Amino acid sequence: MEQINKEELALVSMNVILHAGNARDYVYQAVDKASNGDFVQADELMEKANEEIVTAHKAQTNTLQKEAEGIEIPYSPLFGHAQDTIMTVKSEMNIMREIIKLYKKI
Amino acid sequence: MTKKVLLVCGAGASSGFMAAAARKATKKLGKDIEFKAKSESEIGEHLNAIDLLLVAPHLKYMIDDVKSACEEAGVKYGIIPQKVYGSLDGQGLVIVAEEILQGGVQ
């Protein structure tokens, strides 16, 4: 059975972690702007966060879809960690989006 | 004397891979630098025993905290460039570490 090379999987994982991390950075900047009433900047930063999370998510999805194509993905704690990172950042993003909405109301 | 460099990220997983790549490169280049990786929550325990703290690029949102902790402990610090981290470029990291250790950019 065809298999993804472990080194290649490690590089994909590093990129997922990197882009998810960039998204988290933008999310926190956005909330900071919103808390100061700077909503235009906050929305722009959330937009940037979204672009980063989409990049990270695509890298993950491309890898997962290989399994569907019959290519075996070797077990990698680093890849698991990368998936955990992306999901955590996604949740933070959803929560922060609501918090920004609240800031807009008060 | 051996220079001690500590790499930190969220869980010590991706920085562990980065440190392994850097150790390989250090050996190949014959440099006297020791690379270790830990989670960011352990920074405080290790600050007194290192020369340089390098933070993973996806943790740049916490650089202000790192900055004040390092300045207090008299330890140099920096952020690992995304390109180096994303491609697990061990040699690239050795170069970055040496530049900062020699008092260049911080």
Side-chain angles (χ1 to χ4, degrees), chain A residues 9 12-13 16 59-60 63-64 73-74 76-84:
Chain A
L9 189 61
V12 171
S13 307
V16 168
Q60 187 206 216
T63 306
L64 292 179
I73 306 170
S76 151
L78 184 68
F79 187 61
H81 172 59
Q83 292 181 289
D84 171 47

Side-chain angles (χ1 to χ4, degrees), chain A residues 5-74:
Chain A
N5 166 314
K6 268 218 141 181
E7 252 168 52
E8 194 189 317
L9 189 61
L11 288 180
V12 171
S13 307
M14 294 300 275
N15 273 295
V16 168
I17 293 168
L18 204 65
H19 286 289
N22 286 345
R24 178 181 267 150
D25 189 40
Y26 285 132
V27 168
Y28 281 97
Q29 283 184 44
V31 175
D32 187 52
K33 293 285 176 195
S35 73
N36 289 316
D38 194 346
F39 299 119
V40 177
Q41 287 256 43
D43 289 344
E44 271 175 26
L45 286 161
M46 284 304 274
E47 194 57 47
K48 280 187 179 170
N50 197 49
E51 282 166 23
E52 290 287 338
I53 208 84
V54 167
T55 307
H57 215 255
K58 271 186 188 157
Q60 187 206 216
T61 310
N62 287 342
T63 306
L64 292 179
Q65 283 179 351
K66 290 200 171 125
E67 188 170 42
E69 290 161 20
I71 301 167
E72 195 184 335
I73 306 170

Side-chain angles (χ1 to χ4, degrees), chain B residues 65-79:
Chain B
D65 295 340
V66 167
K67 184 175 180 246
S68 48
C70 285
E71 278 172 356
E72 205 176 296
V75 169
K76 292 187 172 177
Y77 65 93
I79 298 180

Side-chain angles (χ1 to χ4, degrees), chain B residues 22-100:
Chain B
R23 281 196 290 269
K24 220 182 263 176
T26 314
K27 210 172 169 188
K28 206 171 152 192
L29 299 167
K31 303 278 184 186
D32 199 12
I33 310 176
E34 184 186 295
F35 286 93
K36 278 192 176 162
K38 299 277 175 197
S39 117
E40 49 92 6
S41 57
E42 296 171 82
I43 291 177
E45 295 166 35
H46 299 277
L47 266 187
N48 292 323
I50 56 167
D51 300 291
L52 168 64
L53 179 73
L54 288 176
V55 179
H58 58 291
L59 260 74
K60 64 171 181 256
Y61 68 94
M62 58 176 287
I63 196 65
D64 288 343
D65 295 340
V66 167
K67 184 175 180 246
S68 48
C70 285
E71 278 172 356
E72 205 176 296
V75 169
K76 292 187 172 177
Y77 65 93
I79 298 180
I80 304 167
Q82 296 213 357
K83 219 177 145 188
V84 171
Y85 209 72
S87 58
L88 284 172
D89 175 6
Q91 194 171 334
L93 190 74
V94 172
I95 293 168
V96 169
E98 276 192 320
E99 267 177 16
I100 303 177

